[in-house]
Amino acid sequence: GERNHLAACCCDCEDLDDGCERWLTCKSLPPGALGRVADTVADRLRVPWFAGAVKINVSLVPPLVLLPVFLHVAALHFLLGLVILTSLPVVVLWYYYLTHRRKERTLFFLSLGLFSLGYMYYVFLQEVVPRGHVGYSQVVALTCGLILMLAALSRAKKDPGYLPIPASNEKSWHQGLPNKSRRGSSNGLHGVTTTEAAGGRAVNGEAKGYARMAAEEPEGMKKDWCAKCQLVRPARAGHCRLCGRCVRRLDHHCVWINSCVGEQNHRAFILALSFFMLTSVYGITLTLHTICRGRTPFVALFYCPGAYSDYSSALSFTCVWYCAIVTAGMGYILLIQLLNISYNVTEREARLALRDNTGRRLLGGLAIDTGQYNRGFLCNWGHFLSLGSSPPQRSAEDIV
């Protein structure tokens, strides 16, 4: 004797059923109804697996579905390609500012980056290589560059240098995290386990793990107390509001790897960006030499008359432009990183210096010199290349 909508077959959710009822009767939804429906649908979205159904993060799905559709539609006509390739960066930036303002962690950007690499490589092998203008050695070189980039990215995804949380504050730390951050932790977003996080000890209510190590820093070095993690941070460490953790020599939280960039993974992050730039530029050059023969890559990128003569060439040319846009963005990030390393300043320190008006703008504002840790170009790079090579030592009491 009860009514049920067809939508309830997908998800046994009272809010969904009530929402469909109100939509059919042209009534407004109660506050928070859409959020509850979205949370329930996200929780029920699972894939069968041997040890039980595995939950799928909803942010992984859009790039896998929309990117191929948009690129194939853009290859139909020059004007469609112009509109889509112009709107894609705008949509990505809008989603970035939306999640950044809400302090949310998302796998959207990591999924978009990895799937873009895989799909561009597939189009290259499927549409460009069969034309016969790309040699075997060139395909091997491109593949090796892609593998090296993924290896560096895998290393950059590991522990960036989290400061261990005192055991007495571990429970309160988990309670203080936002709900979405706790759900993200169950999906493997935090990169460290709870056991690894509890690396410090508390005696008589005082955090002793990293508090002691911070107290042993050389005199004159800045040390400060983190009220959220309940520990004394060493010099240049910072608290990431997205991860909810303190990181040694925190540079920034990178949405493309869904992790912080800190002391332990900064070198791998730079290496991954460098390999990406080399591989992407090489792939773009090979593709343009194939579909726009007789022209230099830069000229062919803007003037290639036969690009839309057949669908295969149009798809390849569209993917080249997509790669060029992404490469330009990553190139800007890499440039800023290299300049920061040259002046021995982190992105976090540069932002704080601009906010407090304590930094000096250089090179048209691309570089910020705080003057606090700058020891010259060679010394700065020597310091960067030695990051993470000698982890801080703990006393026997801390280890036990």
Side-chain angles (χ1 to χ4, degrees), residues 20 63 79 90 194 316 321 339 367:
C20 292
L79 292 179
V90 176
T194 304
S316 302
W321 258 106
L339 290 175

Side-chain angles (χ1 to χ4, degrees), residues 123-135 286-293 306-317:
V123 171
F124 179 79
L125 295 179
Q126 191 74 16
E127 306 292 344
V128 180
V129 175
R131 294 173 179 261
H133 300 294
V134 178
L286 291 177
T287 305
L288 289 177
H289 274 313
T290 301
I291 62 177
C292 301
R293 298 190 61 80
Y308 286 87
S309 58
D310 60 277
Y311 188 75
S312 176
S313 299
L315 180 60
S316 302
F317 189 71

Side-chain angles (χ1 to χ4, degrees), residues 83-113:
V83 172
I84 290 177
L85 292 176
T86 304
S87 60
L88 274 179
V90 176
V91 173
V92 172
L93 286 175
W94 169 80
Y95 187 73
Y96 166 74
Y97 286 115
L98 180 66
T99 54
H100 187 73
R101 187 175 66 250
R102 295 180 178 179
K103 302 298 182 293
E104 297 176 358
R105 301 192 68 180
T106 175
L107 290 175
F108 174 83
F109 299 98
L110 179 61
S111 173
L112 177 62

Side-chain angles (χ1 to χ4, degrees), residues 134-158:
V134 178
Y136 176 77
S137 59
Q138 294 172 319
V139 176
V140 171
L142 186 68
T143 305
C144 290
L146 185 62
I147 294 174
L148 290 174
M149 193 276 296
L150 292 176
L153 181 63
S154 175
R155 175 61 188 86
K157 280 285 295 175
K158 295 182 179 179

Side-chain angles (χ1 to χ4, degrees), residues 341-344 369 371 373-383:
I341 294 170
S342 300
Y343 289 97
N344 199 2
D369 182 17
Y373 302 101
N374 189 359
R375 299 297 181 268
F377 181 83
L378 294 179
C379 291
N380 293 338
W381 273 96
H383 171 74

Side-chain angles (χ1 to χ4, degrees), residues 108-391:
F108 174 83
F109 299 98
L110 179 61
S111 173
L112 177 62
L114 293 178
F115 186 68
S116 296
L117 286 173
Y119 192 71
M120 295 303 106
Y121 186 68
Y122 167 77
V123 171
F124 179 79
L125 295 179
Q126 191 74 16
E127 306 292 344
V128 180
V129 175
R131 294 173 179 261
H133 300 294
V134 178
Y136 176 77
S137 59
Q138 294 172 319
V139 176
V140 171
L142 186 68
T143 305
C144 290
L146 185 62
I147 294 174
L148 290 174
M149 193 276 296
L150 292 176
L153 181 63
S154 175
R155 175 61 188 86
K157 280 285 295 175
K158 295 182 179 179
D159 181 12
Y162 291 118
L163 295 179
I165 300 175
S168 60
N169 299 320
E170 181 183 353
K171 182 177 180 181
S172 61
W173 174 74
H174 280 288
Q175 292 175 351
L177 283 177
N179 292 332
K180 294 184 179 180
S181 296
R182 290 200 295 266
R183 290 201 300 268
S185 179
S186 65
N187 289 333
L189 301 184
H190 282 283
V192 290
T193 60
T194 304
T195 307
E196 294 170 343
R201 297 180 59 193
V203 179
N204 297 328
E206 294 182 0
K208 296 188 65 178
Y210 250 83
R212 178 183 289 108
M213 286 189 296
E216 295 173 355
E217 292 283 341
E219 293 185 3
M221 300 294 284
K222 181 182 177 182
K223 302 180 290 292
D224 56 289
W225 171 262
C226 179
K228 294 185 178 180
C229 295
Q230 296 294 299
L231 52 82
V232 178
R233 295 183 298 209
R236 310 190 76 176
H239 184 86
C240 176
R241 291 179 293 179
L242 295 177
C243 296
R245 297 288 301 275
C246 284
V247 181
R248 291 193 299 270
R249 197 184 179 276
L250 175 63
D251 190 84
H252 70 287
H253 181 94
C254 180
V255 296
W256 294 105
I257 64 174
N258 194 37
S259 177
C260 287
V261 176
E263 183 177 281
Q264 297 295 324
N265 67 342
H266 201 168
R267 290 186 301 175
F269 178 73
I270 296 297
L271 198 61
L273 278 177
S274 302
F275 278 128
F276 171 79
M277 291 295 298
L278 293 174
T279 305
S280 180
V281 171
Y282 187 59
I284 290 173
T285 302
L286 291 177
T287 305
L288 289 177
H289 274 313
T290 301
I291 62 177
C292 301
R293 298 190 61 80
R295 289 182 173 83
T296 61
F298 183 78
V299 174
L301 189 63
F302 295 94
Y303 182 70
C304 186
Y308 286 87
S309 58
D310 60 277
Y311 188 75
S312 176
S313 299
L315 180 60
S316 302
F317 189 71
T318 302
C319 290
V320 161
W321 258 106
Y322 175 74
C323 289
I325 294 174
V326 176
T327 303
M330 294 300 170
Y332 176 77
I333 295 176
L334 179 60
L335 175 62
I336 298 300
Q337 286 290 314
L338 296 179
L339 290 175
N340 287 344
I341 294 170
S342 300
Y343 289 97
N344 199 2
V345 60
T346 64
E347 187 67 25
R348 173 177 174 269
E349 291 168 350
R351 289 197 301 265
L352 293 177
L354 288 178
R355 185 194 66 184
D356 301 334
N357 198 23
T358 57
R360 185 164 57 99
R361 291 178 177 268
L362 300 171
L363 302 176
L366 291 177
I368 306 297
D369 182 17
T370 60
Q372 187 174 5
Y373 302 101
N374 189 359
R375 299 297 181 268
F377 181 83
L378 294 179
C379 291
N380 293 338
W381 273 96
H383 171 74
F384 172 76
L385 294 176
S386 64
L387 287 178
S389 57
S390 56

